[in-house]
Amino acid sequence: MSYTDYIFNDYRRRCDELEASTNPFAKGIAWVGGDYVPVAEAKIPLLDQGFMKSDLTYDVPAVWDGRFFRLDDHLDRFEASMKKLRMVSPIPRQEIRDRLVEMVAKSGIRDAYVMMFMTRGLRYVRQYAPEDCPNHCYLLVTPYLWVMGEEVQKAGGSAVIARTVRRIPAGAIDPTVKNLQWGDFTRAIFEARDRGAMYPILSDGDGNLTEGSGFNVVLVKDGRIYTPRRGVLEGVTRKTVLKLAERLGLDCVVDDIPVQLAYDSEEIMFVTTAGGVMPITILDGQPVGDGQVGPVTKTLWKAYWDAHSDPEFSFPINYY
Amino acid sequence: MSYTDYIFNDYRRRCDELEASTNPFAKGIAWVGGDYVPVAEAKIPLLDQGFMKSDLTYDVPAVWDGRFFRLDDHLDRFEASMKKLRMVSPIPRQEIRDRLVEMVAKSGIRDAYVMMFMTRGLRYVRQYAPEDCPNHCYLLVTPYLWVMGEEVQKAGGSAVIARTVRRIPAGAIDPTVKNLQWGDFTRAIFEARDRGAMYPILSDGDGNLTEGSGFNVVLVKDGRIYTPRRGVLEGVTRKTVLKLAERLGLDCVVDDIPVQLAYDSEEIMFVTTAGGVMPITILDGQPVGDGQVGPVTKTLWKAYWDAHSDPEFSFPINYY
């Protein structure tokens, strides 16, 4: 029996139920232009600056086993990102929150990947002051997505430190504003694929680690936890993992992390809402530590998934 | 009489004619999902990776006075960009070309801003090999857009060298692949606005100039032309201006250009398809040279617009 069965057995049963659902929103529901539509029918204007200049921010909370996880933390970050981009939501925060809960309930999806987008709207900021650009809000709920699926979580995934591409520096695009300007990540995904690995980690171009394509990086060395302080998204999952690690009595170092430390680590985890705590057991073709999913990873894995039913972090959704 | 009247007087007459047109596509025509639609109705799937990850390339040729300008050069670059992104157009190059010409003819627009987009499509490159991602092509023709309008072209515009943001380095996102990941440009536009100027120029973070928000930068110093070699889009307008400058017997230097040279220049031009050769006469609040549009700028301005009726660079469209 794998350490993951504890979570995945029940999850697979819920997936089977969703698969059998006749709810028209069972494959996903979007709120675009004021209407609820099945995700496959959701469209946005070609001229939306969110497409025309990737001028947007977004956020991604999740629903697990019928409970919304850390929704308010994601809304906090979403609002902070909007403020940095000089955006103002056309609808109040409470309405975004209510609609997201309503959409999950309406869809019947019990394990959901939830996205909220705020785009600049149809006006371009060179021609209009930001206060004269009515921003567009789009909402999306789909079945839960896995950056790392069950089988890989059991054995651990493989990664490379990208050598052909570096992370966009914070002085160019602020990574704490969650954004979809993924050109560096896309290049790095291709490099990982070309080198026979699943995931890339990007450096900051100055010898320090940053993050990967949609996840923060957490290292374990001498029983201590390390994660990069800057040049990265301030991930909600990273925050959760740090809090849980501290409760477990583990020392956490959030600082500049030299690239070399990844090669010297006993364990490596990638952490993100879409997958949780994901073990990496091969780096640049070599085993990480003894090449097995390590004890700290397993402990944090369990603590992370247990938090999903803890009222401190989550609340139940009233399905119809 | 201004040096610009020569071009703008006729252009304004054509704009009046377009304004009076009853053609349903007179405000713009798009080709999306295989249909021609008025631009205001053009929509793309929310799940398109061109939106979800800004995973796309695009290009922008123009039509001037009923003639397509350097269309094949733009198609060459578009194809080169696609190749670097491991994309393959779902339709042949000739079909893109034919459709663009057809769209301009159909719209009756005699001065047009033309966009071609290639997005990754609906599949995400972490989950699918690039060869298994059917790419999406979108085409758009609207009335000509000006990065710098007539009145500003007459007197010259104002710019700042951004000090709060740097250009994304080529090691993160390759700027020769024309892209819409404009986060650094958007920040720089805000900085320019906050400092009372119209346009930003971004440095590479290592003391060299790169480009601005949608244009290349050309400096004139001691009668010689300077433009940055790397960390920038290899602009078609930049190429045209360099060719015309050489024909006029001007020395051209395409190299690393220190930021300081902008402050020491006699003339500064921004060059782009959406505006041509645009004079900058104020930099960081101080006059550039004597603060007037300079003789080299005026000479290149005329040569640039004259090229639009030259069969070496353009061909006529047969309107219906």
Side-chain angles (χ1 to χ4, degrees):
Chain A
M1 183 174 142
S2 162
Y3 77 103
T4 62
D5 289 346
Y6 146 74
I7 282 298
F8 277 106
N9 287 350
D10 268 5
Y11 168 69
R12 267 186 261 119
R13 184 186 44 73
R14 296 194 302 272
C15 286
D16 291 343
E17 284 171 14
L18 186 64
E19 189 65 35
S21 165
T22 57
N23 185 321
F25 298 124
K27 291 195 193 319
I29 178 171
W31 186 69
V32 288
D35 293 319
Y36 291 123
V37 294
V39 63
E41 295 168 25
K43 297 197 169 191
I44 62 167
L46 177 66
L47 295 186
D48 193 308
Q49 294 287 309
F51 176 71
M52 295 293 274
K53 301 275 185 301
S54 204
D55 193 3
L56 62 79
T57 185
Y58 79 115
D59 220 291
V60 182
V63 171
W64 188 256
D65 197 9
R67 299 177 67 92
F68 236 124
F69 188 65
R70 303 203 81 163
L71 175 55
D72 293 301
D73 295 277
H74 287 277
L75 285 166
D76 285 347
R77 185 174 62 187
F78 190 48
E79 287 196 319
S81 294
M82 276 190 269
K83 192 169 178 195
K84 288 185 197 167
L85 293 180
R86 307 187 188 191
M87 290 183 180
V88 177
S89 176
I91 58 174
R93 171 184 170 131
Q94 187 62 42
E95 184 179 338
I96 296 175
R97 194 180 193 281
D98 291 345
R99 284 193 186 280
L100 290 174
V101 173
E102 184 188 358
M103 288 164 70
V104 174
K106 206 185 262 288
S107 72
I109 300 172
R110 296 192 66 86
D111 306 283
Y113 180 82
V114 176
M115 303 185 86
M116 55 193 104
F117 302 88
M118 193 66 63
T119 75
R120 188 71 61 188
L122 299 176
R123 289 186 169 176
Y124 172 31
V125 291
R126 191 171 59 218
Q127 296 169 310
Y128 295 90
E131 57 271 24
D132 295 325
C133 298
N135 303 152
H136 285 188
C137 180
Y138 305 118
L139 306 174
L140 178 65
V141 172
T142 70
Y144 193 84
L145 296 178
W146 295 93
V147 168
M148 181 185 286
E150 177 178 0
E151 291 308 311
V152 181
Q153 296 225 7
K154 277 185 195 168
S158 58
V160 294
I161 311 269
R163 51 200 187 194
T164 63
V165 56
R166 54 165 289 179
R167 183 75 179 107
I168 297 170
I173 297 181
D174 180 354
T176 71
V177 177
K178 198 166 166 71
N179 69 77
L180 293 169
Q181 297 170 73
W182 272 46
D184 53 345
F185 288 152
T186 301
R187 280 169 76 174
I189 288 170
F190 285 152
E191 180 184 329
R193 184 182 293 275
D194 293 344
R195 294 171 65 189
M198 297 170 185
Y199 308 96
I201 304 172
L202 286 79
S203 88
D204 68 355
D206 282 311
N208 300 300
L209 295 174
T210 66
E211 57 193 334
S213 46
F215 44 82
N216 287 117
V217 176
V218 175
L219 309 178
V220 181
K221 166 79 172 161
D222 299 330
R224 192 173 274 150
I225 302 279
Y226 294 86
T227 193
R229 180 175 65 85
R230 61 174 181 170
V232 301
L233 178 73
E234 292 169 353
V236 174
T237 308
R238 168 177 171 268
K239 193 163 95 172
T240 305
V241 166
L242 289 173
K243 179 179 258 187
L244 298 171
E246 277 166 9
R247 283 189 191 168
L248 290 162
L250 294 162
D251 263 2
C252 297
V253 179
V254 181
D255 203 344
D256 294 345
I257 307 293
V259 169
Q260 184 60 38
L261 192 66
Y263 297 106
D264 296 339
S265 289
E266 292 139 18
E267 302 181 37
I268 298 178
M269 286 160 258
F270 292 166
V271 303
T272 183
T273 291
V277 174
M278 308 180 294
I280 294 299
T281 50
I282 298 176
L283 182 66
D284 283 10
Q286 300 297 317
V288 176
D290 65 1
Q292 307 296 312
V293 179
V296 178
T297 302
K298 285 182 178 174
T299 301
L300 286 171
W301 200 95
K302 182 169 188 308
Y304 180 75
W305 288 105
D306 285 349
H308 284 70
S309 54
D310 181 342
E312 182 188 342
F313 294 110
S314 67
F315 64 87
I317 288 159
N318 296 313
Y319 290 86
Y320 301 151
Chain B
M1 185 173 142
S2 162
Y3 78 102
T4 62
D5 289 345
Y6 146 76
I7 282 297
F8 276 107
N9 288 350
D10 268 7
Y11 167 69
R12 267 186 262 121
R13 185 185 44 72
R14 296 195 300 274
C15 286
D16 291 342
E17 284 172 16
L18 185 65
E19 189 64 34
S21 165
T22 57
N23 186 321
F25 298 124
K27 291 194 192 320
I29 179 171
W31 185 69
V32 287
D35 293 318
Y36 291 123
V37 293
V39 62
E41 294 168 24
K43 297 195 170 195
I44 62 166
L46 177 66
L47 295 186
D48 192 310
Q49 294 287 309
F51 176 71
M52 296 293 274
K53 300 277 185 302
S54 204
D55 193 3
L56 61 79
T57 186
Y58 78 116
D59 220 292
V60 182
V63 172
W64 188 255
D65 197 10
R67 300 177 66 92
F68 235 124
F69 188 65
R70 304 203 80 162
L71 175 56
D72 293 302
D73 295 278
H74 287 278
L75 286 165
D76 285 347
R77 185 174 62 188
F78 190 48
E79 287 195 320
S81 294
M82 275 190 271
K83 192 168 178 197
K84 288 184 199 169
L85 293 181
R86 308 189 188 188
M87 290 184 179
V88 177
S89 176
I91 57 174
R93 171 183 170 131
Q94 187 63 42
E95 184 178 337
I96 295 175
R97 195 180 193 281
D98 292 345
R99 284 193 186 280
L100 290 174
V101 172
E102 184 189 357
M103 288 164 72
V104 175
K106 207 185 259 289
S107 71
I109 300 172
R110 297 191 65 84
D111 306 284
Y113 180 83
V114 176
M115 302 186 86
M116 55 192 104
F117 302 89
M118 194 66 63
T119 75
R120 189 71 61 189
L122 299 177
R123 288 185 170 177
Y124 173 30
V125 291
R126 190 172 59 219
Q127 296 169 310
Y128 295 91
E131 58 273 24
D132 295 325
C133 297
N135 302 151
H136 285 189
C137 181
Y138 305 118
L139 306 175
L140 178 65
V141 172
T142 70
Y144 193 84
L145 295 178
W146 295 92
V147 168
M148 181 185 287
E150 177 178 0
E151 291 308 310
V152 181
Q153 296 226 4
K154 277 185 194 168
S158 59
V160 294
I161 311 270
R163 50 200 187 195
T164 63
V165 55
R166 54 164 291 178
R167 184 75 178 105
I168 298 169
I173 298 182
D174 180 353
T176 71
V177 177
K178 198 167 166 72
N179 68 76
L180 293 169
Q181 297 170 72
W182 271 46
D184 53 346
F185 289 152
T186 300
R187 279 170 75 175
I189 287 170
F190 286 152
E191 180 185 330
R193 183 182 293 275
D194 293 344
R195 294 172 63 190
M198 298 169 185
Y199 308 96
I201 304 172
L202 286 80
S203 87
D204 67 356
D206 282 311
N208 300 299
L209 295 174
T210 66
E211 58 194 333
S213 46
F215 44 82
N216 288 116
V217 176
V218 175
L219 309 178
V220 182
K221 165 79 172 161
D222 300 329
R224 190 174 274 149
I225 301 279
Y226 295 86
T227 194
R229 179 174 66 83
R230 62 174 180 170
V232 300
L233 177 74
E234 292 169 353
V236 174
T237 308
R238 169 176 170 267
K239 193 164 95 172
T240 305
V241 165
L242 290 172
K243 180 179 255 187
L244 297 172
E246 276 165 9
R247 284 188 189 167
L248 289 163
L250 295 163
D251 263 5
C252 297
V253 179
V254 181
D255 203 344
D256 293 345
I257 307 293
V259 169
Q260 184 60 38
L261 193 65
Y263 296 106
D264 298 338
S265 289
E266 293 140 17
E267 301 180 37
I268 298 178
M269 284 161 261
F270 292 167
V271 304
T272 182
T273 291
V277 174
M278 306 178 296
I280 294 299
T281 50
I282 298 177
L283 182 66
D284 283 11
Q286 300 296 316
V288 176
D290 64 2
Q292 307 297 312
V293 179
V296 177
T297 302
K298 285 182 178 173
T299 300
L300 285 171
W301 200 94
K302 183 170 187 311
Y304 180 74
W305 288 105
D306 285 350
H308 285 70
S309 55
D310 181 343
E312 181 186 342
F313 294 110
S314 68
F315 65 86
I317 288 158
N318 296 314
Y319 288 86
Y320 301 150

